[in-house]
Amino acid sequence: MIRVLVVDDDALALELHTAYVERLPGFSVAGQAAGARAALTAIADSDRPIDLMLLDMTMPDGGGLDVARRVRAMGAGVDIIAVTAVRDAATVRAAVSSGVVQYLIKPFTFAAFRERLEAYRAYVEGLDRAAGEATQSEVDALLGTLRTVAPTLPKGLSDETLQAVAERVRTAAAAVSSTELGEREGMSRVTARRYLEHLADAGRVRREPRYGGPGRPEITYAWVRS
């Protein structure tokens, strides 16, 4: 079993990612940490071995990059997958330099999460099977298992638009409908609904009925906050 430490200062994300890990064969949750200090304390605990850390990049008591660097300085044999909304190139580059093996951008679906962790599991299993000196092709195959090439968004959805929609809902004063979002973002109601439903399936927004007119209530979407 791959023992996982889930690190996130958002209580909802912490529980959601923990539940995701528990759904995957071959993985077990070794612990949770709601901040940088708690994460480092958990890594330093020799009585609770950890193989993989799912690490948020922005926490009130310290950044994920600092945590990753300190973990490396401690000599801990822990792999790190960044799970964060931070997407600027400088942070991604620094994360890779700090030994982060995967970078998963919020919001995401369980399918995208599973894809990354299954790729990591294949990588670990390949290392376990390796014996003696590896050939170039064997090294390439091992590293290749960490590269996910399949699209993580449903066909017709773009990552850039998804981030814009997520930000629009997150900063809205009240829950928004697909019609309202479509008007604000310049897209059709059907397209807006597809993005909103994707965010709902990922656990980042919740569906709320809006009553007031005859017939069925209108479905609106509100950002999920801890």
Side-chain angles (χ1 to χ4, degrees), residues 117-203:
L117 266 71
E118 287 181 345
Y120 172 77
R121 185 182 63 198
Y123 164 73
V124 171
E125 291 172 348
L127 287 176
D128 290 341
R129 290 192 299 267
E133 295 185 353
T135 65
Q136 182 66 58
S137 60
E138 288 171 335
V139 172
D140 292 342
L142 279 173
L143 296 179
T145 60
L146 290 173
R147 304 189 187 105
T148 52
V149 297
T152 59
L153 287 177
K155 185 177 181 180
L157 302 189
S158 75
D159 185 67
E160 182 178 356
T161 303
L162 179 64
Q163 298 302 322
V165 168
E167 183 64 15
R168 173 73 71 175
V169 180
R170 188 186 70 81
T171 57
V176 300
S177 68
S178 57
T179 300
E180 293 164 343
L181 179 69
E183 291 174 351
R184 295 172 187 173
E185 295 296 323
M187 64 179 69
S188 70
R189 179 185 63 81
V190 173
T191 300
R193 186 174 183 275
R194 289 190 66 201
Y195 281 101
L196 290 167
E197 284 295 315
H198 181 79
L199 289 171
D201 290 342

Side-chain angles (χ1 to χ4, degrees), residues 42-178:
I43 294 296
D45 185 357
S46 59
D47 294 329
R48 181 173 56 174
I50 294 166
D51 304 305
L52 175 66
M53 177 165 53
L54 304 183
L55 180 62
D56 190 16
M57 287 289 106
T58 55
M59 294 171 285
D61 64 340
L65 290 176
D66 291 333
V67 172
R69 290 165 182 149
R70 292 187 63 180
V71 168
R72 294 293 166 250
M74 291 163 60
V78 178
D79 288 323
I80 299 172
I81 295 179
V83 182
T84 177
V86 179
R87 51 188 285 126
D88 64 274
T91 299
V92 175
R93 188 180 301 112
V96 172
S97 299
S98 300
V100 171
V101 298
Q102 290 270 19
Y103 201 100
L104 183 56
I105 298 174
K106 301 175 183 177
F108 50 82
T109 62
F110 172 68
F113 182 90
R114 180 181 60 205
E115 182 182 63
R116 263 68 174 185
L117 266 71
E118 287 181 345
Y120 172 77
R121 185 182 63 198
Y123 164 73
V124 171
E125 291 172 348
L127 287 176
D128 290 341
R129 290 192 299 267
E133 295 185 353
T135 65
Q136 182 66 58
S137 60
E138 288 171 335
V139 172
D140 292 342
L142 279 173
L143 296 179
T145 60
L146 290 173
R147 304 189 187 105
T148 52
V149 297
T152 59
L153 287 177
K155 185 177 181 180
L157 302 189
S158 75
D159 185 67
E160 182 178 356
T161 303
L162 179 64
Q163 298 302 322
V165 168
E167 183 64 15
R168 173 73 71 175
V169 180
R170 188 186 70 81
T171 57
V176 300
S177 68
S178 57

